[in-house]
Amino acid sequence: MEPITPSFNNIKNVGLPDFCFLEHLDENEIMNNISTRFHKDHIYTYIGEQVVSVNPFSKKEHLYSDQTLKSYHNMYMYEVPPHIYSLAQDTYKKLLLTKENQCIIITGESGSGKTEASKILMEYITKASINNKINEKANSATLDRSEIIMKLIMDSNVILEAFGNAKTLKNDNSSRFGKFIEIEFDEKGAPISGKIQQFLLEKSRVHTRAIGERSFHIFYQFLTSKEITSKFQLSDDPSYYRYLKDSMCFNVSNINDGREFKLVGQALQSLGWTQEDLDSMYRILGAVLLIGNLEFCNDQEKANVDAVNVKNPSILKKIAALLDCNEDQLEKSLISRSLTLGVSKRKSSIRVLLNTNQAMETRDALAKVLYDRLFNTIIEKINKAISSDIDRKNIESMIGILDIYGFEVFENNSFEQFIINYSNEKLQQLFINLVLRQDQEEYIKEGVEWKFMDNYFDNTPIIDLIEGQPVGLLKLLEEACLIGQNTPELLIQKMNQFFGKHNHFESYETTNNLSITNQSFTLKHYAGSVTYNLEQFIYKNKDPLYQDLINTMQSSKNNFLLSLFQLDFLKASNQQTGAKKIPTTMASQFKVAINDLIGKLNSCQPHYIRCIKPNDEKRPGHFDYERVKHQIRYLNMLETVRVKKAGYCNRQHYTRFLARYKMIAPATWPFWNGTVKDGAMEIAKVLIPSPIDRQAECQFGKKKIFIKSAKTLFHLEELRSKQMPKVCIIIQRHWRGYQARKWYKSELARLQQEKEEIQKQILRKKSVAKIQNCYLRYRIRTYFKKLQPWAVGPTYCKGKAIPTLWPKKSALEDLIQVIHITWWAKMKVCSLSMEQRALVRQKILALDLFGMGYFKKKEWDCRRKFSADYLSDDSNPKKLQFSEAVQLLFQKGGDKEILFADNVVKINKRGKSQLRTLIITDQHIYKYDSKKYTQKKVGLKIHSIVALSTSNKRDTFLSIHFKAPVRDLFIDLGCDSVEKVSEVSTNLVQQVFKLTGTTIPLLFREPLTFNNSRDSRTSGTDFVISFAHYPKGKEQRQCTFVKGKANTAVIYYPID
Ligand SMILES: Nc1ncnc2c1ncn2[C@@H]1O[C@H](COP(=O)(O)OP(=O)(O)O)[C@@H](O)[C@H]1O
Ligand SMILES: [Mg+2]
């Protein structure tokens, strides 16, 4: 980075970064320094806090890289090399510090780089402010809003350049309007809103311009879009349109119209333009171009008057279609004009026919007004998008950037140049006033030692000549417009009469200069002499817009077009209501606008960028010594440097100074009782301890302190910044103390309240306990009173006994018991596995069948597990044989499950006991040989069982009754002294129900009968069985079947 501290060895190499560092101040030194720097690619140089910029006419990427931009963040100007970034940073810093409005005035000739500088400024401010917001940890909504606002402002640049810039002989991208952009910030320095004001668009460029120049860029841009030209049936060849063809320039080497057009479209869309708005805009642009192609010819039918007709009605028709208005009315308003005669009630209107020249003038007026209104509407829409009513109340301060058209001299200078140069004079005057005159006047007023320098060029006389009262050039021009039939010659005569002897005015009468005709005059501007051709002055100043044209446009059915002419409706109604008149002529309107602007700039802290054009040929790296010297001269550069070098960079009222810096000096902190001036002196002592240096750096005026160099000011700020943490701690201490006291008080009150509440609660509880106690005692008393008659004894109760019976159970209690049992059972069942549940089901059925204890069958064991298969057990030595037999049985098919298998004693038809193996499957009852495990006879079908019977004694016999002729089966199921009657019976009842759906009965009989002798031929005889205990002394553990006479038998069973 370029060192900023002056090293005089550097002058020869890269030049000094600040002109104020020059030891011997003269024009040559300034020229040498600026030229050296320019050739070493240092295009920026300071004059104190101003930046002088020399247009390089070539891209200097490194100057604007992100890295360069970042290196300027939060830096002071004197710490970093001269750049527009440092000026932008300084402006933004001052805005944050002082909360005062700031403005940056960019001046310079046309093509000197003002517009580029404004873009560089905006880029920096955008990035710096957003970066600042991020550091401040702003809420994301504001951050987004700031980014959106800055993006919209940057985007609007593209639109404004397309519609307001054009190629001139001096600059390929010359701004043909002036603009003042205001970026408005909230208190934290976030951009929240914006405003753009435009000054006097050079609308005559739409129809006339010098050869080699172009009209506004947008015309060439939109013709590059085939889609649009074919949509509106327009020719895409610029040379087809007379308005574009006349100046014989269509392309600019370094401008890509097609690409720019796409950017414009995107920017318009980001501002919220709908496709309908865009289409209406293309229609107007197309119409403006076609209007230029309208031609007029004499009307043959009206031989004795000067009247014309439109020569090419097809074009007229196209224009009417594009503008969506009536074709006849449009023609009428182009070739004739309605005039109002008389006043009030005697008012009448006549139609005057126009000659060819007048018709052409009217035609151009229409094109101009359409374009001008379109431009203004675009700015209005931009303003609507970038400003916000909601944020308005949060606006704290603003930065205004003024980029107005630069001083211009052409071969033929017309009204526009006059206005442009007039505005440059005004800005130059502002500069002189703020930088040169006011500074010095203040030093003297304040009694500071100062030698007044007045050898700068003061342009006040030129401004007086132009806008002076009661007579000035503008006034004469306005008068000329009010009087009909006024000519340039008459106007010149008037000018000569008043200003013939004025130093800055020349005309053919006052000079021998032959180039000045009787239709022109020369003004000696601060930047050079310019000869103005008066030919179009009166017309352009009047800027007539014929009412008929306005009426025609107002009859359009296109809403967008109508909105361009809305103000005319308003004006008409204002005229009717007699509202305040707006100045009518262009120059007087401009005078009001520029004076307003100057007023606004005067109320801001100004910053300057002075742009210099190194050559007229736009040649990169070429330094035209004479051309630059001329600019240095008229910009009063030498004088500015002198004043700045000798002067003071900063002045502040003592009160403000003391308030801001009192923490620097122990004497003034925290209270100072003396005068403010003495206070400021105390601060200065700390700032510069050496009295000699202090005298050189600080001057104490009557009301203000003056600080000589920026360095001292920055040192002051640094001292303040160093003290600020201490101040902050004091403020924090007080604030925290205050907060803690506040908290303590509120906490004390809260605790007191809580205590009272607790006491109340305790009391309440005590009361409740007391009431409860009383009530309980009351209940006991009443109970005992009830008992008293019994308790007192027989003597007193007359023989009544104390009640001993419990009160009766209520139905509800029964129900609750049932519910409880049900719930208890459910809980039990739920805890069982599926297998266990099946067993429980069997046990319940067994319980149903056999009852508990002695009720139905004696001695059946409810707790015994029904194991079903007793032969696959390890206790069976022939276990394997048995399982083979079972496999064989299952292979025959039909049977799937063994319900019971065990050895039993079977009683045959002759009453003999036989040991058998009984296998009950899901389908059959099989009798097997209990040794060989072979099947005896066929299996008995379970579904043909009709009943079961047993005794209710302790025997273990069961009779299974089959449907005749199948024989009943009588078996002893207690061979191993374990009772299995209950298991077999339950299984059989369950299985018969499963197979047939009927529940067979289990009968308890004594004597018990069964028939095991019938077959298909004989019905057999019933066996009758009776039951008896073993006789005493002959007891056995198992039962015994003893056959009696005929078909009777006795079964002996063990005693209980
Ligand atoms: N800082 C710069 N760096 C490179 N080129 C520049 C710079 N400033 C200006 N130019 C060139 O000069 C031309 C004219 O600049 P512009 O800002 O339009 O001038 P003005 O607004 O003063 O009429 C630009 O189009 C650009 O080519
Ligand atoms: Mg410009």
Side-chain angles (χ1 to χ4, degrees):
M1 208 183 260
E2 182 193 3
I4 184 74
T5 32
S7 148
F8 290 98
N9 295 335
N10 262 356
I11 304 177
K12 282 197 185 77
N13 300 327
V14 292
L16 286 168
D18 191 331
F19 288 115
C20 294
F21 295 161
L22 287 172
E23 227 177 346
H24 308 290
L25 247 187
D26 61 35
E27 200 173 75
N28 281 340
E29 285 290 308
I30 287 186
M31 281 304 294
N32 286 343
N33 196 45
I34 202 166
S35 150
T36 314
R37 288 182 68 74
F38 179 74
H39 286 114
K40 296 283 177 188
D41 264 3
H42 294 302
I43 60 168
Y44 300 119
T45 313
Y46 293 134
I47 308 179
E49 287 156 3
Q50 296 173 27
V51 171
V52 176
S53 155
V54 188
N55 189 348
F57 286 117
S58 64
K59 282 221 151 48
K60 306 275 178 214
E61 306 282 0
H62 69 282
L63 270 183
Y64 312 105
S65 67
D66 268 356
Q67 204 187 350
T68 312
L69 191 141
K70 272 186 201 146
S71 69
Y72 281 83
H73 273 180
N74 294 325
M75 303 299 275
Y76 291 109
M77 279 178 101
Y78 75 99
E79 293 174 327
V80 275
H83 201 297
I84 291 181
Y85 289 162
S86 64
L87 184 122
Q89 170 63 37
D90 185 51
T91 310
Y92 185 60
K93 202 174 209 159
K94 283 196 175 131
L95 174 110
L96 288 178
L97 272 179
T98 63
K99 306 280 180 228
E100 279 174 22
N101 291 343
Q102 312 285 319
C103 68
I104 302 168
I105 302 167
I106 313 169
T107 53
E109 292 188 12
S110 177
S112 58
K114 297 181 297 297
T115 307
E116 290 296 321
S118 77
K119 286 191 263 184
I120 297 165
L121 273 173
M122 277 194 273
E123 187 206 356
Y124 188 86
I125 291 170
T126 305
K127 294 197 175 154
S129 57
I130 284 165
N131 193 45
N132 177 59
K133 284 316 297 176
I134 292 167
N135 290 341
E136 287 253 334
K137 295 189 182 67
N139 63 51
S140 57
T142 340
L143 194 61
D144 290 350
R145 172 88 186 132
S146 303
E147 280 177 81
I148 293 168
I149 288 293
M150 288 314 290
K151 185 182 177 304
L152 289 179
I153 294 177
M154 298 298 266
D155 275 358
S156 62
N157 258 336
V158 181
I159 304 168
L160 291 180
E161 287 201 4
F163 285 86
N165 287 23
K167 178 200 158 19
T168 65
L169 295 174
K170 307 225 175 240
N171 180 356
D172 289 345
N173 184 30
S174 176
S175 323
R176 307 316 298 162
F177 67 107
K179 68 172 185 281
F180 185 56
I181 299 182
E182 289 172 59
I183 307 169
E184 294 162 321
F185 298 82
D186 68 7
E187 58 169 340
K188 287 192 171 153
I192 47 171
S193 177
K195 204 179 348 174
I196 296 174
Q197 188 183 354
Q198 77 101 350
F199 298 93
L200 199 80
L201 176 75
E202 186 201 33
K203 54 191 173 184
S204 63
R205 180 162 291 271
V206 171
H207 59 81
T208 331
R209 71 204 78 88
I211 303 285
E213 292 195 347
R214 287 210 315 180
S215 184
F216 297 101
H217 294 322
I218 190 68
F219 289 114
Y220 307 89
Q221 290 178 0
F222 109 103
L223 289 181
T224 59
S225 166
K226 293 258 179 302
E227 191 192 325
I228 294 169
T229 47
S230 60
K231 184 172 181 182
F232 299 107
Q233 289 156 21
L234 293 163
S235 162
D236 60 1
D237 176 11
S239 65
Y240 168 77
Y241 303 101
R242 197 181 56 78
Y243 277 167
L244 303 185
K245 192 176 133 196
D246 278 359
S247 61
M248 298 197 298
C249 178
F250 303 106
N251 293 310
V252 185
S253 59
N254 55 353
I255 293 180
N256 182 337
D257 290 317
R259 202 186 56 210
E260 292 292 321
F261 186 56
K262 277 197 190 112
L263 295 178
V264 173
Q266 284 164 9
L268 285 169
Q269 270 167 355
S270 73
L271 285 173
W273 281 51
T274 61
Q275 189 56 45
E276 205 180 325
D277 290 340
L278 290 174
D279 280 350
S280 302
M281 182 188 86
Y282 302 140
R283 281 168 174 275
I284 293 169
L285 290 175
V288 168
L289 289 182
L290 283 176
I291 285 169
N293 283 11
L294 283 177
E295 287 178 45
F296 302 95
C297 56
N298 281 334
D299 189 347
Q300 300 302 333
E301 288 175 17
K302 299 187 181 79
N304 46 355
V305 280
D306 234 358
V308 289
N309 272 336
V310 171
K311 198 166 152 188
N312 37 8
S314 63
I315 291 196
L316 185 76
K317 190 172 180 168
K318 240 183 187 175
I319 297 167
L322 284 172
L323 298 177
D324 214 346
C325 62
N326 183 291
E327 189 185 334
D328 293 336
Q329 192 183 346
L330 179 63
E331 183 179 20
K332 216 173 179 187
S333 58
L334 284 168
I335 60 167
S336 68
R337 194 176 301 158
S338 56
L339 279 186
T340 312
L341 302 175
V343 280
S344 62
K345 281 181 183 165
R346 273 182 275 146
K347 219 166 160 180
S348 65
S349 170
I350 58 160
R351 186 152 281 281
V352 180
L353 297 174
L354 305 180
N355 62 25
T356 315
N357 275 346
Q358 288 167 330
M360 274 165 30
E361 223 169 58
T362 313
R363 172 197 69 190
D364 294 344
L366 176 62
K368 265 192 304 189
V369 77
L370 275 172
Y371 192 77
D372 189 45
R373 297 286 168 95
L374 177 63
F375 187 68
N376 282 314
T377 303
I378 287 169
I379 289 185
E380 241 171 61
K381 283 190 173 232
I382 292 175
N383 279 335
K384 223 176 240 173
I386 61 175
S387 67
S388 135
D389 289 340
I390 307 163
D391 291 330
R392 199 130 284 280
K393 60 178 185 308
N394 295 331
I395 294 172
E396 181 84 18
S397 45
M398 66 90 169
I399 295 179
I401 300 172
L402 181 70
D403 168 23
I404 210 153
Y405 15 52
F407 185 80
E408 261 181 9
V409 198
F410 290 111
E411 219 160 89
N412 183 20
N413 302 293
S414 185
F415 179 72
E416 288 81 10
Q417 278 67 48
F418 176 67
I419 291 295
I420 288 171
N421 295 339
Y422 161 52
S423 60
N424 277 279
E425 289 285 2
K426 292 289 288 186
L427 288 180
Q428 176 69 2
Q429 188 186 38
L430 180 79
F431 177 80
I432 292 171
N433 277 342
L434 290 180
V435 180
L436 299 175
R437 186 179 299 139
Q438 276 180 12
D439 265 18
Q440 300 196 74
E441 279 173 1
E442 192 169 24
Y443 297 152
I444 289 163
K445 199 173 92 193
E446 283 283 324
V448 172
E449 238 175 78
W450 184 258
K451 190 170 168 289
F452 202 89
M453 303 180 198
D454 57 358
N455 51 344
Y456 54 83
F457 177 77
D458 185 359
N459 69 340
T460 312
I462 311 174
I463 296 203
D464 286 344
L465 168 66
I466 297 172
E467 61 170 28
Q469 291 288 359
V471 194
L473 291 180
L474 289 178
K475 191 87 190 156
L476 291 181
L477 191 59
E478 191 164 357
E479 275 174 18
C481 293
L482 295 176
I483 305 160
Q485 296 301 313
N486 216 331
T487 60
E489 291 82 0
L490 286 173
L491 183 58
I492 279 289
Q493 273 177 25
K494 266 265 166 68
M495 286 180 175
N496 277 331
Q497 184 188 329
F498 286 100
F499 305 115
K501 293 197 177 92
H502 198 288
N503 282 343
H504 296 276
F505 178 87
E506 274 181 1
S507 73
Y508 71 99
E509 270 192 14
T510 62
T511 178
N512 299 329
N513 188 342
L514 290 177
S515 66
I516 306 180
T517 65
N518 65 348
Q519 287 206 349
S520 57
F521 69 97
T522 299
L523 274 187
K524 290 182 187 167
H525 285 289
Y526 74 100
S529 295
V530 183
T531 302
Y532 298 101
N533 183 351
L534 270 176
E535 203 184 313
Q536 290 281 310
F537 256 59
I538 296 172
Y539 173 71
K540 283 182 179 170
N541 191 29
K542 258 191 194 165
D543 190 32
L545 176 62
Y546 310 108
Q547 194 55 43
D548 304 71
L549 286 178
I550 293 179
N551 291 346
T552 308
M553 292 305 111
Q554 285 173 346
S555 73
S556 165
K557 292 184 190 77
N558 182 319
N559 285 333
F560 185 87
L561 183 67
L562 277 179
S563 73
L564 307 190
F565 290 86
Q566 223 156 28
L567 255 175
D568 297 282
F569 284 114
L570 228 110
K571 260 191 213 161
S573 70
N574 276 352
Q575 267 169 16
Q576 275 169 13
T577 54
K580 198 183 163 201
K581 245 183 153 183
I582 311 162
T584 45
T585 63
M586 292 305 290
S588 44
Q589 274 174 28
F590 186 73
K591 185 180 151 189
V592 172
I594 195 82
N595 280 319
D596 275 357
L597 175 72
I598 297 286
K600 205 179 249 179
L601 297 177
N602 255 321
S603 69
C604 298
Q605 280 257 0
H607 305 262
Y608 284 96
I609 300 175
R610 320 221 79 194
C611 297
I612 288 184
K613 198 175 176 182
N615 63 71
D616 283 330
E617 299 79 35
K618 300 171 235 170
R619 258 168 66 195
H622 179 62
F623 191 85
D624 183 334
Y625 203 84
E626 285 310 313
R627 244 338 238 112
V628 177
K629 196 167 168 181
H630 175 66
Q631 292 171 70
I632 294 277
R633 249 182 221 163
Y634 74 66
L635 285 175
N636 281 321
M637 201 95 99
L638 179 64
E639 292 71 24
T640 312
V641 178
R642 269 207 187 115
V643 171
K644 282 279 158 202
K645 195 170 153 69
Y648 300 86
C649 83
N650 183 268
R651 71 221 57 203
Q652 292 183 41
H653 277 280
Y654 288 128
T655 325
R656 200 173 131 63
F657 183 82
L658 194 62
R660 188 166 175 80
Y661 302 109
K662 65 198 263 189
M663 68 289 291
I664 293 173
T668 51
W669 179 257
F671 303 109
W672 173 252
N673 291 326
T675 64
V676 280
K677 185 173 177 178
D678 289 346
M681 283 174 163
E682 286 297 330
I683 295 168
K685 274 184 205 164
V686 177
L687 177 69
I688 309 167
S690 145
I692 302 166
D693 292 348
R694 188 161 65 241
Q695 192 158 11
E697 276 298 312
C698 302
Q699 282 282 330
F700 299 92
K702 285 176 191 152
K703 289 181 189 156
K704 288 180 186 174
I705 176 173
F706 291 82
I707 295 167
K708 183 123 188 134
S709 65
K711 239 178 176 173
T712 307
L713 181 67
F714 297 140
H715 181 47
L716 189 64
E717 277 294 330
E718 264 160 20
L719 286 181
R720 182 178 181 269
S721 305
K722 262 189 208 154
Q723 293 300 323
M724 278 319 262
K726 285 184 200 162
V727 178
C728 288
I729 289 169
I730 292 171
I731 296 170
Q732 277 176 351
R733 208 166 59 200
H734 279 86
W735 176 249
R736 286 197 180 133
Y738 163 73
Q739 288 285 340
R741 275 193 300 279
K742 207 168 117 184
W743 175 83
Y744 169 74
K745 276 182 193 162
S746 70
E747 199 62 3
L748 200 66
R750 193 181 63 78
L751 286 175
Q752 189 66 32
Q753 207 176 346
E754 228 168 61
K755 188 178 151 194
E756 279 168 18
E757 192 56 39
I758 291 169
Q759 278 172 347
K760 268 187 212 165
Q761 274 177 17
I762 293 171
L763 262 174
R764 212 173 292 142
K765 274 184 186 160
K766 271 188 184 166
S767 315
V768 168
K770 202 166 190 173
I771 293 167
Q772 276 178 346
N773 199 7
C774 287
Y775 181 69
L776 235 111
R777 278 162 58 190
Y778 157 76
R779 288 295 300 268
I780 293 169
R781 266 200 317 274
T782 46
Y783 179 68
F784 277 105
K785 264 188 191 159
K786 242 194 230 169
L787 294 182
Q788 210 178 24
W790 292 285
V792 285
T795 332
Y796 303 102
C797 68
K798 295 171 188 163
K800 279 186 196 165
I802 295 172
T804 50
L805 271 180
W806 289 101
K808 255 190 168 182
K809 258 207 294 180
S810 69
L812 182 65
E813 276 170 298
D814 286 340
L815 187 64
I816 289 171
Q817 209 164 7
V818 170
I819 292 170
H820 172 73
I821 290 168
T822 317
W823 167 80
W824 182 85
K826 191 180 172 189
M827 296 313 287
K828 285 278 167 206
V829 170
C830 284
S831 67
L832 300 176
S833 68
M834 293 313 283
E835 203 182 325
Q836 284 172 323
R837 283 187 202 185
L839 282 173
V840 169
R841 235 172 256 133
Q842 276 191 337
K843 279 290 168 70
I844 290 168
L845 183 57
L847 207 59
D848 279 349
L849 295 173
F850 292 92
M852 289 289 283
Y854 292 94
F855 280 109
K856 286 183 181 171
K857 174 89 182 161
K858 280 183 183 174
E859 269 313 293
W860 79 277
D861 189 2
C862 187
R863 285 163 305 179
R864 193 182 66 79
K865 191 184 169 196
F866 290 174
S867 301
D869 183 357
Y870 294 89
L871 298 176
S872 300
D873 200 69
D874 287 341
S875 58
N876 180 11
K878 288 188 277 179
K879 181 175 129 186
L880 274 174
Q881 247 172 300
F882 172 73
S883 63
E884 276 168 23
V886 171
Q887 256 178 21
L888 217 68
L889 174 69
F890 280 7
Q891 273 167 10
K892 281 197 294 185
D895 303 293
K896 288 189 179 71
E897 193 186 354
I898 289 182
L899 300 181
F900 184 82
D902 200 6
N903 293 333
V904 302
V905 172
K906 178 206 154 202
I907 307 299
N908 73 3
K909 64 179 177 182
R910 283 181 290 280
K912 266 194 88 174
S913 304
Q914 294 172 318
L915 190 63
R916 289 281 181 270
T917 291
L918 188 78
I919 300 179
I920 304 175
T921 68
D922 50 331
Q923 299 290 340
H924 301 93
I925 301 175
Y926 296 103
K927 287 160 284 175
Y928 269 57
D929 184 291
S930 55
K931 284 182 187 133
K932 291 183 249 163
Y933 292 128
T934 49
Q935 193 176 334
K936 295 260 180 191
K937 298 191 184 159
V938 288
L940 302 167
K941 290 205 163 50
I942 284 181
H943 65 73
S944 51
I945 298 174
V946 288
L948 305 170
S949 53
T950 180
S951 79
N952 56 4
K953 296 288 176 351
R954 293 194 66 212
D955 68 292
T956 46
F957 276 86
L958 176 71
S959 169
I960 304 169
H961 304 277
F962 289 91
K963 210 191 272 174
V966 182
R967 289 174 189 161
D968 294 343
L969 190 62
F970 191 61
I971 41 174
D972 179 5
L973 287 162
C975 299
D976 53 357
S977 311
V978 180
E979 178 277 320
K980 287 170 192 153
V981 178
S982 55
E983 183 175 352
V984 172
S985 310
T986 309
N987 265 320
L988 290 176
V989 172
Q990 217 176 15
Q991 198 55 25
V992 173
F993 182 80
K994 241 188 225 175
L995 296 174
T996 63
T998 51
T999 309
I1000 51 166
L1002 169 66
L1003 307 166
F1004 294 91
R1005 292 283 149 83
E1006 203 188 332
L1008 187 152
T1009 55
F1010 62 87
N1011 187 334
N1012 67 348
S1013 52
R1014 71 185 165 219
D1015 55 32
S1016 49
R1017 293 185 299 273
T1018 57
S1019 56
T1021 340
D1022 279 355
F1023 241 112
V1024 181
I1025 312 287
S1026 53
F1027 298 87
H1029 289 300
Y1030 281 113
K1032 275 232 159 114
K1034 291 189 178 173
E1035 280 152 354
Q1036 288 177 28
R1037 282 183 65 216
Q1038 289 169 7
C1039 298
T1040 317
F1041 180 88
V1042 180
K1043 188 169 173 327
K1045 284 180 190 161
N1047 275 346
T1048 61
V1050 180
I1051 288 173
Y1052 292 99
Y1053 58 88
I1055 301 172
D1056 303 345

